[in-house]
Amino acid sequence: MKALVLAGGFPQISLIKELQKRGYFVILADYNDEPVAKKFCDKFYKVSTLDIDAIKNLAISEKVDIVITVCTDQALLTVAKVSEDLGLPCYIDYKTALNVTNKQYMKKVFAENGIPTARFVITDDIEKCDLSSFRYPIISKPVDCNSSKGVIKSETYTQLVQSFVISKELSRTKTAIVEEFIDGTELTVDAMINDGVATLLSVSVSEKIKDNNKFVIYRTINPANISSLIEDKIKDTIQKIADAFKLRDCPLLVQLLTDGNEIYVVEFSARTGGGVKFLLIQEASGVDIIKFVVDLTEGKKDKPVISERKYKYLVNEFIYCCDGVFDKLLNFDELKAQGVISDYYLFKWQGAKFSGISNSGDRVAGFTIKTNDVNLLIKNHNIAKEKLKVIDINGNDIMKHELLCDINPGFFK
């Protein structure tokens, strides 16, 4: 059997291993020369995962049995399209995949089905919109990008006009959403849908870089400190999403904001979050979401069993860099051996170039701290903040240490 995996990021390493364990010869496609998952696959092609025709031709020439991806938004659309065209199995059909990766359609369905979200308009010409009743700040974002690309906050109409141009140009359809900014705690909700029934797996706090032109996650805190009222609203909302978008069997990722009384859905996708989210889900619920996706692709629809978590507190930190060329990580192995950090993850390859932070794809690495004592967690975090380094080819530490700011224990449940 042959499997074609799209995207060679960190989560795809686990996907490749799961497929190989099931007897698949795994072919990897990625637009980078040296993606981190490359050394784990059986065969590699440098092909953009967004080039549907190229991926389809590759699938045909290699005579693959499945095309699959995890934890990535736009590649899911390619998987659904190619699988449908070639009659290959996929847990989501192309029309549904298109709908859940297009924020324009998403927002309209939210409004029609009572799914709470910010006030919005969708347009290709900001000057034709009547925004007189909108309150600032206002967010503009492309209808069809991920990883926070082109998401910009504006305080005035003049800024909004300028921001809209940037957001619109990043859209493949040259269309953008303009919506009111909701001030509150950002939560990331992970769930799974089995036979149309949504099951909540975890709720985390997402902390993002405070910059009008960036909404990039640098930290995830789990579990989120939310009330039973908010948890009930989340459960109700994920089921509404499953019903409104006719989702039957798939993972579900929902980003939302809460002011403590209400929730507002920002967006969602029929996938798991990127980075190390699949590991967080397993820690929080016992569900192996990578295995779940492969099972669904193979037509197996048994509902995974949820189990109790081992650790009460979990923090994932994502590391970004100043300008430079990445060479190596320093002190990560030592702190892992000492139990200061539970694990760490490399997202980029040696020689990767960094020039600013524009989206979550610019992270070089990450690490996790898991404990049953919040004070120990904070102590270990302080040690990691001081000791960990990212070294460039000139021997300089280019890690942006300021992003490892103090943890607010009030974010924990």
Side-chain angles (χ1 to χ4, degrees):
M1 297 185 295
K2 284 187 178 182
L4 174 56
V5 171
L6 303 193
F10 181 78
Q12 281 73 38
I13 295 174
S14 290
L15 174 59
I16 289 169
K17 290 180 177 179
E18 178 65 28
L19 289 165
Q20 289 171 334
K21 187 169 66 175
R22 298 184 187 212
Y24 286 92
F25 179 91
V26 180
I27 301 160
L28 176 65
D30 192 285
Y31 75 97
N32 291 300
D33 289 312
E34 296 293 332
V36 293
K38 179 180 177 179
K39 64 182 180 180
F40 296 91
C41 69
D42 298 300
K43 195 172 185 179
F44 174 75
Y45 287 92
K46 183 182 178 181
V47 181
S48 170
T49 60
L50 303 185
D51 188 336
I52 292 175
D53 288 338
I55 295 297
K56 184 191 298 185
N57 290 334
L58 177 56
I60 292 171
S61 65
E62 284 288 350
K63 299 179 181 179
V64 302
D65 298 282
I66 60 171
V67 181
I68 191 170
T69 193
V70 291
C71 310
T72 178
D73 212 26
Q74 297 302 315
L76 177 60
L77 187 60
T78 303
V79 166
K81 176 61 174 171
V82 172
S83 298
E84 192 167 293
D85 286 353
L86 300 182
L88 301 177
C90 184
Y91 71 81
I92 192 168
D93 64 85
Y94 176 63
K95 182 179 179 181
T96 303
L98 187 64
N99 291 340
V100 301
T101 54
N102 186 293
K103 297 179 182 69
Q104 178 174 355
Y105 178 85
M106 191 182 298
K107 282 284 193 177
K108 289 180 178 178
V109 176
F110 286 172
E112 292 168 356
N113 290 271
I115 297 169
T117 192
R119 292 180 64 199
F120 69 95
V121 295
I122 300 167
T123 184
D124 60 0
D125 187 347
I126 189 67
E127 296 184 3
K128 290 182 180 178
C129 296
D130 180 8
L131 301 175
S132 58
S133 63
F134 277 52
R135 58 179 177 78
Y136 285 84
I138 291 178
I139 300 291
S140 64
K141 56 187 177 184
V143 298
D144 49 11
C145 284
N146 59 358
S147 300
S148 301
K149 297 185 182 78
V151 181
I152 306 172
K153 183 170 72 172
S154 299
E155 302 287 346
T156 66
Y157 180 73
T158 300
Q159 290 178 0
L160 178 59
V161 171
Q162 296 169 345
S163 300
F164 179 82
V165 172
I166 298 171
S167 300
K168 174 183 171 180
E169 286 305 307
L170 285 171
S171 165
R172 293 192 298 278
T173 59
K174 304 305 176 188
T175 310
I177 294 173
V178 177
E179 65 183 13
E180 288 185 337
F181 174 75
I182 303 294
D183 191 14
T185 301
E186 181 158 343
L187 302 177
T188 299
V189 174
D190 292 286
M192 61 181 177
I193 302 175
N194 300 87
D195 198 24
V197 178
T199 301
L200 182 63
L201 298 177
S202 75
V203 182
S204 307
V205 174
S206 297
E207 292 198 83
K208 294 190 171 184
I209 294 172
K210 294 176 173 60
D211 186 311
N212 285 351
N213 295 321
K214 299 182 182 71
F215 288 81
V216 181
I217 295 174
Y218 67 87
R219 174 184 295 151
T220 297
I221 292 174
N222 182 274
N225 186 6
I226 56 173
S227 66
S228 58
L229 171 68
I230 294 300
E231 184 172 337
D232 287 343
K233 286 179 181 287
I234 289 172
K235 289 178 179 178
D236 179 65
T237 297
I238 62 176
Q239 187 60 57
K240 282 185 176 180
I241 290 173
D243 294 340
F245 290 85
K246 298 179 174 59
L247 301 174
R248 300 299 301 169
D249 296 279
C250 64
L252 184 68
L253 169 70
V254 183
Q255 293 173 280
L256 56 84
L257 293 158
T258 181
D259 58 8
N261 297 308
E262 301 293 338
I263 63 172
Y264 305 88
V265 177
V266 178
E267 61 188 59
F268 82 95
S269 184
R271 66 174 178 94
T272 301
V276 294
K277 178 56 71 66
F278 69 101
L279 296 174
L280 183 152
I281 293 170
Q282 191 160 13
E283 180 62 44
S285 68
V287 173
D288 184 338
I289 208 74
I290 301 291
K291 181 179 182 296
F292 177 60
V293 169
V294 179
D295 281 347
L296 290 181
T297 303
E298 292 187 329
K300 304 169 187 173
K301 297 186 178 181
D302 294 336
K303 183 177 179 179
V305 176
I306 295 177
S307 61
E308 292 293 323
R309 62 190 298 149
K310 182 178 178 181
Y311 294 98
K312 289 178 64 176
Y313 308 110
L314 184 152
V315 169
N316 283 329
E317 292 280 359
F318 302 112
I319 298 172
Y320 297 86
C321 295
C322 304
D323 293 358
V325 179
F326 171 62
D327 182 45
K328 62 184 178 181
L329 302 178
L330 193 63
N331 298 328
F332 283 73
D333 285 323
E334 289 83 350
L335 292 195
K336 181 179 176 181
Q338 294 167 17
V340 174
I341 62 176
S342 306
D343 208 348
Y344 70 92
Y345 325 95
L346 184 62
F347 301 134
K348 294 293 185 181
W349 50 94
Q350 189 176 45
K353 296 180 181 179
F354 293 96
S355 179
I357 304 171
S358 60
N359 58 73
S360 59
D362 292 323
R363 59 183 68 156
V364 63
F367 66 89
T368 298
I369 300 176
K370 297 182 289 189
T371 74
N372 288 314
D373 182 336
V374 70
N375 292 319
L376 177 60
L377 185 148
I378 291 172
K379 176 183 176 182
N380 286 346
H381 183 268
N382 289 334
I383 294 172
K385 180 168 57 176
E386 178 184 351
K387 299 291 186 181
L388 298 179
K389 299 180 187 298
V390 178
I391 306 300
D392 71 2
I393 57 174
N394 296 313
N396 300 312
D397 179 13
I398 57 172
M399 177 172 159
K400 292 185 75 69
H401 289 269
E402 67 273 16
L403 293 182
L404 294 181
C405 54
D406 292 343
I407 295 172
N408 179 358
F411 280 151
F412 287 105
K413 192 168 187 175

